[in-house]
Amino acid sequence: MDLELHEGVRLHVLPNQQFKTTQIVVNLTTKHQQATITKRSLLANILELGTEKYPDQTQIAQKLAGMYGATFGTDLQKYGQLHSFRFMMRIINEKFLQSDDNLLADAVAFLAEAIFNPLAKNQQFDGDIFAREKENMQADFEALVDDKQSYANNQLSQLYFQNEMAIPSYGQVGDLAPLDAQNLYQYYQTMLTEDLIDIFVIGDVDEVAVVALFKQLPFKPRPVIDIQLNYQQPLKEVVSEKIEHQPIKQAKLNMAFQIPHQNAPVERYAAIVLNALLGGYPLSKLFVNVREKASLAYYAQSGVSLATQTLTVQTGIQSSDLTRVISLVKAQIEAIQTGDFTDEEITQIIAYLTNSFEASLDSPRSIVERATVQALSNKVTEPAQWIANLEQVTKADVMALAKKIKLQAVFALVEENYAAN
């Protein structure tokens, strides 16, 4: 059931009898932009730690324990051109309780407290909590440099997008310094009044009761944001390339290809199959030919984003093998373009993807992700239709799409003494 509680405030109830828990997610969504991403990331840390009624983590933990071990937290997600801040709560289904407690009502009341009554005074967040979490976030940003694969992914995004679309969902260190307890609190009030609100409730619930509870939340009507989820970076004539030297033992080679706009539904599903064939399933070309046969990679995989029309390749290699691996990755793309794979492989991949998709339907978090994308894109595809669309993909469809992709960016993180051949 989908219901608009107010303009720009939507409730999505997804009845599901297979879970012993009820999952509640409140999404606040706006444009993904540099001016606000880091603020939202810092808020995700602060808003978990205290409210007016429960001013510290101990009291929050005690309250959750009293709700039969409920869980509460915040999270961030980037969906194409959109950025979602979410409050999440999970409670046991009341049907399994040996009491008459209205646990769902208690959960909604707790969420209302967390969302609308954060620990603040005089229009600013608690000073001690703010200072500590800002310092922690600074340390987290500095630690990211030590996660070489994440670092390489971020550097590839910088090369590929070359605009604020390259900023990850958690923001960037350069935007942290100007934030203080007052301006961050003011921005949070803006979020509450302007962000698109999507509330998801998943579990064996009474829809009428759910609607009645969430109508009580003091969200106000707001203009619906007019931002498309999907984004495609303009095609570059010259591939952006960067080699960076660091004191490392395992080099990273990441590559980004642009997938053209999929003009027909079959092309969207062909992109999913293409990614699996290249590096997204256990017998992919990157795994078999680059990692196993050539022994040129510690790992070799690919990923696809239909929201940004990108296909990416990630490998861990020896610095001395950089040129060979780049050539071999390109050779795998060319092999797909020329049809160097069988119909049987496509059948196996579709079966693998179908099984993975069906398994995801057993996860409340995956269901929330799927429902969020559908709500933000205003496109609903039922699971049976998704599988049917996937099963229509042919070898010819994958070849045709592979011929259209364009290499756009190459980032290599190599050891200090590496010298290009």
Side-chain angles (χ1 to χ4, degrees):
M1 180 192 73
D2 297 308
L3 176 68
E4 188 169 58
L5 301 178
H6 308 286
E7 184 179 12
V9 181
R10 307 181 296 192
L11 173 64
H12 313 271
V13 184
L14 292 78
N16 192 310
Q17 296 183 352
Q18 72 185 103
F19 304 125
K20 293 183 178 181
T21 60
T22 300
Q23 186 95 9
I24 306 170
V25 176
V26 181
N27 269 6
L28 289 78
T29 302
T30 190
K31 183 179 180 182
H32 179 89
Q33 54 188 346
Q34 181 175 350
T36 58
I37 300 168
T38 306
K39 294 177 183 178
R40 297 166 76 89
S41 185
L42 183 53
L43 280 167
N45 296 333
I46 290 174
L47 293 174
E48 289 184 336
L49 302 180
T51 74
E52 291 180 5
K53 191 173 183 179
Y54 311 105
D56 55 49
Q57 288 177 281
T58 298
Q59 293 188 52
I60 289 176
Q62 289 173 344
K63 174 60 179 176
L64 295 174
M67 296 169 65
Y68 303 92
T71 62
F72 165 74
T74 58
D75 193 13
L76 304 165
Q77 290 291 334
K78 177 181 176 183
Y79 299 101
Q81 298 186 88
L82 302 177
H83 191 278
S84 283
F85 181 106
R86 62 178 46 161
F87 293 91
M88 305 175 294
M89 194 156 191
R90 187 175 69 246
I91 58 173
I92 189 170
N93 190 289
E94 294 167 341
K95 296 179 180 180
F96 297 96
L97 297 180
Q98 300 295 320
S99 76
D100 296 326
D101 292 347
N102 191 335
L103 193 54
L104 182 60
D106 286 349
V108 175
F110 180 88
L111 278 172
E113 171 73 10
I115 295 169
F116 296 101
N117 299 313
L119 189 60
K121 188 176 182 179
N122 298 324
Q123 302 296 302
Q124 62 184 26
F125 287 113
D126 179 86
D128 291 339
I129 290 178
F130 176 86
R132 183 177 69 245
E133 292 309 312
K134 184 176 180 180
E135 183 178 336
N136 289 342
M137 192 169 172
Q138 175 77 31
D140 289 342
F141 277 126
E142 292 171 356
L144 284 172
V145 178
D146 296 326
D147 183 342
K148 300 308 179 184
Q149 183 55 58
S150 292
Y151 179 81
N153 286 337
N154 289 338
Q155 291 298 310
L156 182 71
S157 290
Q158 295 286 345
L159 281 177
Y160 181 86
F161 291 108
Q162 299 181 339
N163 59 26
E164 61 189 353
M165 283 295 295
I167 302 173
S169 64
Y170 50 80
Q172 54 188 14
V173 65
D175 296 323
L176 185 60
L179 302 185
D180 60 40
Q182 184 175 37
N183 61 31
L184 189 65
Y185 180 85
Q186 291 170 344
Y187 173 69
Y188 181 57
Q189 300 310 304
T190 300
M191 286 175 58
L192 291 179
T193 56
E194 296 182 4
D195 277 21
L196 173 66
I197 307 297
D198 282 294
I199 303 165
F200 301 92
V201 181
I202 301 170
D204 188 6
V205 295
D206 181 335
E207 294 185 22
V208 175
V210 170
V211 172
L213 286 170
F214 281 97
K215 276 186 174 180
Q216 298 174 20
L217 294 187
F219 284 117
K220 303 297 183 184
R222 72 277 321 282
V224 177
I225 57 176
D226 183 22
I227 307 169
Q228 294 296 317
L229 184 150
N230 291 341
Y231 172 83
Q232 184 167 48
Q233 180 72 13
L235 190 67
K236 292 177 288 191
E237 295 297 326
V238 178
V239 176
S240 298
E241 298 179 322
K242 180 180 179 181
I243 296 178
E244 182 173 332
H245 296 76
Q246 286 190 17
I248 57 174
K249 293 182 179 179
Q250 184 186 117
K252 310 294 181 185
L253 166 66
N254 289 14
M255 305 169 71
F257 300 79
Q258 185 186 93
I259 308 173
H261 281 295
Q262 288 96 45
N263 296 317
V266 70
E267 289 188 321
R268 292 183 59 81
Y269 294 87
I272 297 171
V273 176
L274 168 60
N275 172 64
L277 177 62
L278 177 63
Y281 100 117
L283 296 177
S284 67
K285 286 189 173 294
L286 289 178
F287 179 84
V288 172
N289 296 324
V290 180
R291 185 180 184 276
E292 295 297 299
K293 290 185 178 179
S295 298
L296 288 176
Y298 301 104
Y299 62 86
Q301 60 200 30
S302 68
V304 65
S305 169
L306 298 181
T308 58
Q309 311 290 136
T310 54
L311 177 71
T312 56
V313 170
Q314 302 87 30
T315 65
I317 63 173
Q318 290 288 334
S319 298
S320 57
D321 293 327
L322 176 61
T323 302
R324 293 177 63 197
V325 175
I326 291 175
S327 297
L328 197 51
V329 170
K330 290 179 179 178
Q332 306 316 302
I333 298 286
E334 292 168 0
I336 297 173
Q337 292 171 339
T338 57
D340 185 15
F341 58 98
T342 65
D343 291 321
E344 183 181 0
E345 286 180 273
I346 295 300
T347 300
Q348 291 173 345
I349 287 171
I350 290 174
Y352 170 82
L353 293 170
T354 298
N355 290 337
S356 298
F357 175 73
E358 290 176 335
S360 75
L361 300 179
D362 293 329
S363 162
R365 187 177 182 90
S366 295
I367 293 173
V368 168
E369 286 299 311
R370 178 174 169 77
T372 300
V373 171
Q374 295 194 145
L376 295 178
S377 63
N378 293 313
K379 294 179 181 178
V380 177
T381 304
E382 296 298 331
Q385 186 60 54
W386 191 94
I387 293 171
N389 292 343
L390 188 70
E391 289 176 341
Q392 292 178 13
V393 176
T394 66
K395 177 180 178 178
D397 295 328
V398 176
M399 289 174 60
L401 186 62
K403 291 175 182 177
K404 297 178 182 179
I405 69 173
K406 303 291 185 182
L407 179 62
Q408 293 288 278
V410 178
F411 174 77
L413 181 64
V414 298
E415 58 188 315
E416 290 179 302
N417 61 358
Y418 169 78
N421 297 330

